[in-house]
Amino acid sequence: MTPSKKALENIYGNSTESEARFEKLSSLFTKSFGSDKMEFFTAPGRTEVIGNHTDHNGGKVIAGSITLDTIGAAYPNGTDEIHILSEGFDEVVKFNIKDADKVPKCQGSLSLVAGMVKAIQNFGHKVGGFNLYTSTTVIASAGVSSSAAFEMLVCSVINYFFNDNKLSIVDYAKIGQSAENVFWCKASGLMDQMACAAGGAIKLDFSKSFNNGTVEYEKIDLDFKKYGYDIVIVNTGKGHADLSAEYSSVPGEMREVAKELGVKNLCESSVEKLLEKTPELIGKLNNDRALLRAFHFFNETSRVEQMAEAITKDDGEKILKLVDASGRSSFELLQNCYVNAHPEEQKISLCLALTTQFINKIGKGVCRVHGGGFAGVIMAILPSESVQEYIKYMGKFVGEKNVYLMNIRKVGAAHIE
């Protein structure tokens, strides 16, 4: 039993490879749960194209669902228990819905799913017991939101079986965010979940999220394939430092500047006001990096709007220039390409330099830090005909298994007919 060929082609562009994945998934579900009654689901990972580290201060982001996804076979089990198994992972998620409050927090997927159950109930939606087997191609710890893809898959299952598909994309995102904040001990926003759930590329505006807990978004027609380019993600290697303080410093320093501008978050002020106050703030703050990060915020938010306009005009050259400018701003102003305490370890900076050498050689393409930064992942947008050469080139430095070809896909988190 597998999804229809037409449905698979709509999602993946072909059915041969994807059909084999779902045949294996179907077999694993039957073997694990003793039933051949199942429905199929998918949820992609995500890429952030532009808008790096602006969401937490009410900025704007362009992000998109990617062609790597988490898939699942699921069916209600007629009890109050949730059972989830995942290919390649030893952890078994199993608990009674009535006991979700008793599930230990900060304990991996078990805590995450229990948190989702509580959020679904708190938001007035329904949930029942089900069996789920998952399999994923979304790279873990690579800045493409493997956890959010899993969350959105679970939301799709619960929405389809117990809520008549009435939950919205924003509902999905709020459920995932709440689970991460309360049960997973992670201070996440809504961007990852929104980009995984929506499908295609979306422009997100977080300026109102602090008032009503939601986020405005609109779908945009961004497809690098249309311009003859592919997205390649390079996992540069995990840094040895604890990055919590580095991540926290970004919104913290931006809000430090915002406070001096008389507001709580930078979205409530302007770059003109920042320029006016900068002479005073240089001495008062005694933190040049905070000022640089504030300038990044305003310029980056402006770039998002410029890119949205370039997409509307189908201006591929301008789109690439804006991605390049965004990446340079992240490196120079936001400064999230390495950890200051460990200047000897600069895997992101090194891989950006190596990729730039390749781009200079072929004469086309751009590269940038991807996601949160400080360690881990870069993005390269390269001519399709040069991608395999690049994979071999970067493979010499990081291993070919750490270089991933992907693109933006149109289908987000969904039940598959």
Side-chain angles (χ1 to χ4, degrees):
M1 179 181 180
T2 60
S4 71
K5 183 176 181 179
K6 182 178 179 181
L8 293 178
E9 288 177 346
N10 181 52
I11 297 169
Y12 301 101
N14 71 79
S15 60
T16 305
E17 185 178 331
S18 56
E19 190 170 21
R21 282 182 74 201
F22 281 95
E23 284 176 353
K24 183 179 181 182
L25 181 69
S26 175
S27 176
L28 289 168
F29 180 90
T30 299
K31 182 178 179 181
S32 300
F33 299 114
S35 173
D36 59 2
K37 293 182 69 175
M38 68 194 81
E39 296 287 337
F40 297 100
F41 301 84
T42 174
R46 69 102 183 102
T47 183
E48 176 193 273
V49 181
I50 191 170
N52 198 209
H53 277 290
T54 64
D55 56 320
H56 46 61
N57 263 254
K60 298 176 181 180
V61 178
I62 289 178
S65 302
I66 58 173
T67 47
L68 305 179
D69 70 340
T70 298
I71 59 174
Y75 209 76
N77 56 31
T79 73
D80 288 327
E81 290 196 344
I82 290 175
H83 301 168
I84 303 177
L85 301 173
S86 297
E87 184 182 16
F89 295 87
D90 294 330
E91 183 181 8
V92 177
V93 173
K94 183 177 180 180
F95 65 94
N96 192 296
I97 293 168
K98 296 176 182 176
D99 297 328
D101 276 328
K102 301 175 185 177
V103 172
K105 296 179 180 178
C106 308
Q107 299 291 316
S109 297
L110 176 64
S111 304
L112 188 60
V113 177
M116 293 178 69
V117 167
K118 288 307 299 180
I120 287 166
Q121 293 173 329
N122 291 340
F123 295 155
H125 309 302
K126 299 176 183 177
V127 61
F130 61 90
N131 300 327
L132 168 64
Y133 203 106
T134 78
S135 178
T136 190
T137 57
V138 183
I139 321 149
S141 303
V144 290
S145 297
S146 57
S147 57
F150 175 76
E151 294 162 23
M152 298 303 95
L153 184 82
V154 172
C155 281
S156 296
V157 170
I158 293 172
N159 193 23
Y160 178 79
F161 287 126
F162 308 110
N163 292 279
D164 298 321
N165 287 323
K166 293 178 181 177
L167 275 67
S168 69
I169 289 169
V170 175
D171 291 330
Y172 280 24
K174 284 184 174 181
I175 289 164
Q177 180 194 36
S178 176
E180 290 196 12
N181 292 171
V182 180
F183 271 70
W184 218 32
C185 310
K186 180 180 176 183
S188 67
L190 291 165
M191 191 268 286
D192 291 351
Q193 289 82 359
M194 289 289 294
C196 289
I202 53 174
K203 186 181 81 169
L204 298 143
D205 183 346
F206 293 90
S207 60
K208 297 179 182 177
S209 62
F210 305 105
N211 298 323
N212 56 23
T214 190
V215 56
E216 294 183 352
Y217 77 99
E218 61 178 291
K219 289 203 172 190
I220 55 177
D221 186 23
L222 176 61
D223 181 2
F224 289 106
K225 274 284 191 188
K226 181 166 58 175
Y227 308 111
Y229 286 81
D230 287 321
I231 298 171
V232 183
I233 295 292
V234 179
N235 196 343
T236 69
K238 187 176 181 180
H240 61 255
D242 176 10
L243 300 176
S244 300
E246 301 293 336
Y247 290 131
S248 298
S249 72
V250 177
E253 289 184 1
M254 286 185 182
R255 291 193 179 107
E256 190 180 347
V257 176
K259 183 179 178 181
E260 296 299 328
L261 298 178
V263 295
K264 186 175 181 180
N265 295 290
L266 287 175
C267 65
E268 301 165 283
S269 191
S270 66
V271 69
E272 290 78 16
K273 184 72 173 178
L274 176 60
L275 281 167
E276 178 188 330
K277 296 273 286 185
T278 293
E280 172 190 337
L281 296 180
I282 289 173
K284 187 174 183 180
L285 284 176
N286 196 29
N287 186 347
D288 295 337
R289 188 177 70 174
L291 290 169
L292 291 171
R293 285 174 164 173
F295 278 111
H296 167 82
F297 172 88
F298 289 118
N299 294 335
E300 187 76 344
T301 299
S302 174
R303 271 189 289 271
V304 169
E305 290 295 349
Q306 292 174 55
M307 179 174 279
E309 182 180 359
I311 291 168
T312 301
K313 294 180 178 178
D314 212 15
D315 189 343
E317 184 178 349
K318 180 70 175 292
I319 290 168
L320 290 176
K321 285 182 178 179
L322 287 165
V323 173
D324 182 59
S326 172
R328 292 177 187 277
S329 181
S330 289
F331 203 137
E332 298 167 7
L333 303 184
L334 185 62
Q335 298 182 26
N336 66 331
C337 288
Y338 56 90
V339 177
N340 284 332
H342 297 280
E344 72 283 356
E345 182 176 355
Q346 296 197 35
K347 294 293 191 299
I348 285 179
S349 305
L350 179 58
C351 286
L352 287 172
L354 291 166
T355 302
T356 298
Q357 290 296 120
F358 181 86
I359 289 170
N360 289 342
K361 174 188 169 186
I362 65 173
K364 292 181 179 180
V366 297
C367 62
R368 60 158 305 141
V369 63
H370 185 264
F374 298 109
V377 187
I378 70 165
M379 168 200 281
I381 302 174
L382 301 169
S384 300
E385 67 271 14
S386 300
V387 165
Q388 292 307 315
E389 181 186 355
Y390 176 74
I391 290 173
K392 289 184 173 61
Y393 168 81
M394 285 304 294
K396 293 185 294 185
F397 309 110
V398 301
E400 287 191 23
K401 66 178 182 179
N402 289 313
V403 188
Y404 305 89
L405 169 64
M406 63 185 69
N407 277 295
I408 293 172
R409 85 170 199 184
K410 299 298 184 184
V411 178
H415 167 253
I416 308 175
E417 296 295 340

